[in-house]
Amino acid sequence: MSVNGDGVFEESDAWRLIAEHSRDLVLLLDLSGRILYASPSHLPILGIDPSSLIGAPASEHIHPDDREVQREAFRRRLETGNSQGVDIRVRKADGDYLMVESLGAPIRNDEGEVQSIVISARDISARHDAERKLIRSQERYRVIFERNLAGVYRSTLDGRLLECNPAFARMLGFDSVEEVLQISTWDLYFSRNDREVLIETLTEQNEMHNFEICLRKKDGSPVWVLQNDAMVHDTEDGMPYMEGTIVDITDRKNAEERIEHQAYHDHLTDLPNRLLFHDRLSLAVANARGQGDRLTVMFLDLDHFKLINDTMAHSAGDELLRKVAATLQSVLRTEDTVARMGGDEFTILLPHVKDENEAAKVAQGILDALIIPFYIQGREVFVSGSIGVSMFPSDGDHPETLIRNADSAMYRAKDAGRNNFQFHTPLAQHRAEVRLSMETALRHAHAGYGPDHRRSSPAQGAGRLGFDR
């Protein structure tokens, strides 16, 4: 293949066979960039008769924005003598452009001088379109990633954060993505075991859905999140990593905790209510039974509380109950439980009490704390209490029995003049049962019917059967 002295292209049989059967566009250019030869493939690919191209500058068929790129590549081919490839757009017969990958190489004479340039251009429009779609997809993913309200992240198993979005940083109290990427994910957990469980689960199952966990924010405060994670094994370096999302559910968790708290606590004093006290007592009895331990239950009733309500209004009574509740908590151990059963009645659970002497000291301490005056609505108010005491296992081995016997003992304290405590005794229990039977019989007699009859109207009154507090 050569160019004669008149500048006419002379082709060899081998060159002709290669060029005419090539699926690529093949051109031969002189040193000024004019076309000396165009392969037959121009017709099916570009719709252009190759003979019409002879003598024309090749740049006329290149997109204007790509001509400088092509000229620079052409210059480098002449200077270096090496084949250089560039992606350019070539105009078709219908005016549209086709993306091609252009490769060129210089052709030299026997003295090593460059005589011409051979160009081969391959249609890469399909690949180019796929790349553009991939780029657009990546851009859309990036937009979704950056603007997602959920926190999105990728992390190595050893705790190195690879990537996260602004929502992730913001949710954990960091000022920027760059700042949060400097820490280890281990620092985001209150317990190292929490992350170890997460990694173990992902390793076994490859994914984990709707996992609720409390994470640590930058300032150390807690944030509850709903976490979804997956293990990614197909990585470039062969090292698996985890990726996932977190959603802040702190408000929901706080609402659930408030609802649960309200279900188990007295709304006036915020003490445990009857239900929570029974649960704790049941657990304490089970533990004491298993360990051969003892525990104490106390039933406390305020003396003459009704008088305070009648003389100072119910708001004063409510304030007094709150202050009594605070006083009881202040004189008891952290392991003890004081609960409000209703009205002016309180129950107290003392686990791990050795004997009656220790229980008596606690009861007397409570009575001493109550006789100190309370200031209610600007007035000095004095109050005392009557306490009944039962002990496990001597006074019962079930929660209901212990509460009932402590309640019975409290009535003995009332009968003994109030402002004292009494332990449960079998005789006292018998007297309480007799007293209840007598009270019931008197009410039936007053109503004019026997004990086997029932009223059709609702029962009158509330609380205990008419005993003066």
Side-chain angles (χ1 to χ4, degrees), residues 139 175-176 220 237 269 274 280 330 338 359 370 384 434 442 453:
E139 290 174 348
D175 297 327
S176 66
D237 58 6
T269 63
R274 183 189 302 268
R280 290 186 180 178
S330 68
V338 56
L370 291 178
S384 62
V434 171
L442 287 173
H453 293 79

Side-chain angles (χ1 to χ4, degrees), residues 155-380:
S155 166
T156 62
L157 297 185
D158 61 6
R160 183 166 55 91
L161 273 169
L162 301 173
E163 189 177 18
C164 73
N165 68 346
F168 184 89
R170 189 167 53 249
M171 209 173 294
L172 294 167
F174 290 87
D175 297 327
S176 66
V177 168
E178 291 72 23
E179 183 183 14
V180 73
L181 289 179
Q182 300 304 311
I183 70 166
S184 168
T185 55
W186 292 97
D187 297 332
L188 301 177
Y189 294 83
F190 282 98
S191 169
R192 185 177 182 87
N193 182 66
D194 289 342
R195 180 166 173 82
E196 290 174 347
V197 170
L198 172 66
I199 294 175
E200 182 179 350
T201 303
L202 283 176
T203 303
E204 293 176 355
Q205 303 178 8
N206 284 323
E207 58 184 22
M208 187 170 59
H209 301 287
N210 299 328
F211 181 68
E212 295 183 5
I213 190 169
C214 188
L215 298 180
R216 191 205 324 257
K217 299 174 70 173
K218 176 185 176 182
D219 61 5
S221 61
V223 55
W224 277 96
V225 299
L226 186 68
Q227 193 165 343
N228 288 273
D229 294 285
M231 189 75 78
V232 179
H233 296 281
D234 185 17
T235 61
E236 293 182 1
D237 58 6
M239 298 297 294
Y241 65 82
M242 52 190 292
E243 64 181 12
T245 62
I246 59 173
V247 177
D248 188 344
I249 58 170
T250 303
D251 289 342
R252 194 197 81 191
K253 293 293 291 187
N254 289 340
E256 291 175 354
E257 290 176 1
R258 285 194 298 270
I259 293 172
E260 183 177 4
H261 185 85
Q262 292 168 1
Y264 288 96
H265 289 78
D266 173 53
H267 72 282
L268 179 63
T269 63
D270 203 39
L271 292 177
N273 60 13
R274 183 189 302 268
L275 182 60
L276 180 54
F277 182 82
H278 191 279
D279 286 348
R280 290 186 180 178
L281 178 56
S282 298
L283 181 60
V285 167
N287 289 337
R289 185 181 293 120
Q291 298 174 8
D293 204 353
R294 304 184 73 182
L295 63 82
T296 298
V297 174
M298 295 184 180
F299 203 110
L300 166 66
D301 187 274
L302 299 182
D303 298 327
H304 303 299
F305 179 75
K306 184 176 184 298
L307 180 61
I308 297 173
N309 266 341
D310 291 343
T311 58
M312 296 182 63
H314 286 278
S315 60
D318 289 347
E319 185 178 349
L320 177 60
L321 289 172
R322 285 192 290 267
K323 290 190 174 183
V324 167
T327 298
L328 293 175
Q329 288 179 304
S330 68
V331 299
L332 295 173
R333 303 169 300 182
T334 56
E335 62 187 286
D336 301 331
T337 296
V338 56
R340 183 184 177 214
M341 302 297 278
D344 59 338
E345 297 177 336
F346 298 86
T347 50
I348 299 167
L349 166 63
L350 307 173
H352 313 300
V353 174
K354 294 183 294 185
D355 51 35
E356 290 187 356
N357 289 334
E358 185 176 351
K361 290 179 181 179
V362 176
Q364 188 59 54
I366 292 173
L367 295 176
D368 293 342
L370 291 178
I371 62 173
I372 298 174
F374 293 92
Y375 290 89
I376 307 297
Q377 297 181 356
R379 295 178 60 180
E380 193 176 55

